Amino acid sequence: MSIKQLTGIRSIRTLYLQLLYRCNYNCLHCFHGENLKRRDRITATQAFEIMSHFVSEYATSRVVLLGGEPFLHDAIVPITAGAHDRGLYTEICTNGHQVVRRKLTYMVDTLDRLRVSLDGLREAHDDIRKAGSYDDAVKTIKHAIDLGLKVGVTLTVTSRNVEDLPQLVEEIADLGVGELKLHQLRPVGNAEGRTDLLVEDKSTIQASLERCSSRLELVLDDDLIDLLDGLPAHCDQDADPEESLARIEMSPDGALTMSCKAVGRNAHAFVWDLAEGGIEYVPSENSEIALAIPDVRYVTLTRS
């Protein structure tokens, strides 16, 4: 049974395609956790088939390539070109390590946006990710902007970086970054049980955001907005009809997750058959459909 048949969903705006679990980092908040050790990967041929399916069956218009670390995939350049050839707005999420800079030159005409993870200023970022990773990510941001690419930054809000936000906004705006996307920490994978990473005083988040300048766009997932009091924002997805889905995410083993809140929880109701192609329904009392897990919606702060 297809997604369309079971749910009535006829269009899916964005496909998040995890190409592999493998990563050169082991971040404190990574939702993959032990899966980082797995060798599963989606081949270029499979990626082309998957993207073509979603374009033709669900009018998908955007693809976000991620991992693990997508630039460790040996076919990241042709996969990006294949997405572009299918008319997809193409974005890649990366940790910004040095391998990225070597490959970006070949992707200038096929990549619409590079999104680099920065989890605070240097001390916090390196503590969460890896020593020296902050400087590496900044070099990659500069290189991408020099190539004429549009660059965004993503950050998971934790106790280690929440107070860095105002200064981080200034520093990445100076580099030419146009958007900072903030995510709520979800206690799965490496973050399971890491209560030390949680921001206990939610007013700290609001105070930090209120000190951020309007030099770039701030996009927050609505779980963060729900914690705040009265900050003006508009929803980027409030026009979606019931027959439309904002996003769907496929893991390297083919599992398809419709809600960002279900990613990393083994709660998928559908799977892509990597051997034969096509989507299969895998009923379970613990699936995101059975549990009615809502999706995350993104909102943009309105600031003068």
Side-chain angles (χ1 to χ4, degrees):
M1 184 180 295
S2 71
I3 296 172
K4 193 178 300 182
Q5 290 170 322
L6 185 68
T7 67
I9 291 168
R10 306 186 67 83
S11 66
I12 300 173
R13 181 170 182 254
T14 304
L15 168 65
Y16 286 74
L17 188 56
Q18 299 173 15
L19 296 174
L20 73 175
Y21 289 116
R22 181 186 169 209
C23 189
N24 51 343
Y25 295 174
N26 188 20
C27 304
L28 299 184
H29 55 37
C30 181
F31 65 85
H32 281 310
E34 288 297 311
N35 283 334
L36 291 169
K37 300 174 183 178
R38 293 174 58 178
R39 297 180 177 273
D40 304 68
R41 63 193 294 276
I42 292 173
T43 67
T45 299
Q46 290 167 339
F48 298 151
E49 183 180 12
I50 292 163
M51 290 187 289
S52 294
H53 175 87
F54 279 93
V55 169
S56 63
E57 294 296 319
Y58 295 98
T60 298
S61 59
R62 305 168 71 92
V63 65
V64 180
L65 303 174
L66 61 166
E69 171 48 53
F71 278 90
L72 295 180
H73 197 293
D74 56 2
I76 186 62
V77 174
I79 288 174
T80 303
H84 175 80
D85 291 345
R86 286 161 176 78
L88 290 163
Y89 182 96
T90 305
E91 182 174 313
I92 301 180
C93 292
T94 176
N95 59 32
H97 61 99
Q98 60 182 338
V99 174
V100 178
R101 299 193 289 277
R102 295 202 295 268
K103 295 185 177 182
L104 273 182
T105 304
Y106 306 102
M107 306 165 79
V108 172
D109 296 327
T110 58
L111 182 61
D112 293 289
R113 189 202 297 265
L114 184 75
R115 187 174 295 280
V116 180
S117 294
L118 281 180
D119 283 298
L121 299 170
R122 183 180 289 105
E123 182 178 354
H125 177 93
D126 285 2
D127 181 48
I128 291 169
R129 290 181 173 265
K130 184 178 181 179
S133 62
Y134 179 85
D135 290 338
D136 224 7
V138 169
K139 287 178 184 177
T140 294
I141 290 171
K142 291 178 179 177
H143 180 63
I145 290 173
D146 287 345
L147 290 173
L149 288 168
K150 184 184 292 186
V151 178
V153 164
T154 187
L155 177 147
T156 299
V157 178
T158 70
S159 60
R160 311 283 178 95
N161 59 32
V162 62
E163 294 185 357
D164 286 354
L165 291 177
Q167 186 177 341
L168 183 68
V169 164
E170 294 299 321
E171 293 194 5
I172 63 177
D174 285 343
L175 295 176
V177 171
E179 179 191 271
L180 174 60
K181 195 170 191 178
L182 304 175
H183 298 274
Q184 169 76 309
L185 177 71
R186 308 198 188 284
V188 295
N190 286 349
E192 184 175 3
R194 292 298 305 264
T195 56
D196 59 302
L197 295 178
L198 296 174
V199 182
E200 294 185 2
D201 183 359
K202 307 309 178 187
S203 66
T204 305
I205 302 176
Q206 178 147 349
S208 193
L209 289 173
E210 288 175 340
R211 299 200 326 270
C212 291
S213 76
S214 58
R215 295 181 61 199
L216 50 72
E217 193 168 67
L218 282 180
V219 179
L220 286 70
D221 80 34
D222 60 357
D223 279 358
L224 280 172
I225 281 291
D226 288 345
L227 300 175
L228 309 180
D229 180 26
L231 282 184
H234 67 268
C235 184
D236 299 333
Q237 300 164 19
D238 53 6
D240 285 344
E242 290 183 2
E243 294 183 350
S244 178
L245 191 65
R247 43 92 66 205
I248 195 165
E249 188 157 345
M250 183 182 295
S251 63
D253 61 4
L256 283 160
T257 307
M258 294 182 290
S259 170
C260 184
K261 296 181 182 182
V263 172
R265 294 172 54 180
N266 196 30
H268 58 280
F270 297 95
V271 64
W272 178 271
D273 187 332
L274 290 170
E276 302 295 331
I279 295 173
E280 298 178 353
Y281 174 49
V282 284
S284 166
E285 61 183 15
N286 295 315
S287 77
E288 58 184 335
I289 292 178
L291 298 176
I293 299 175
D295 194 9
V296 169
R297 296 158 67 87
Y298 286 96
V299 296
T300 301
L301 285 189
T302 305
R303 298 169 297 158
S304 58

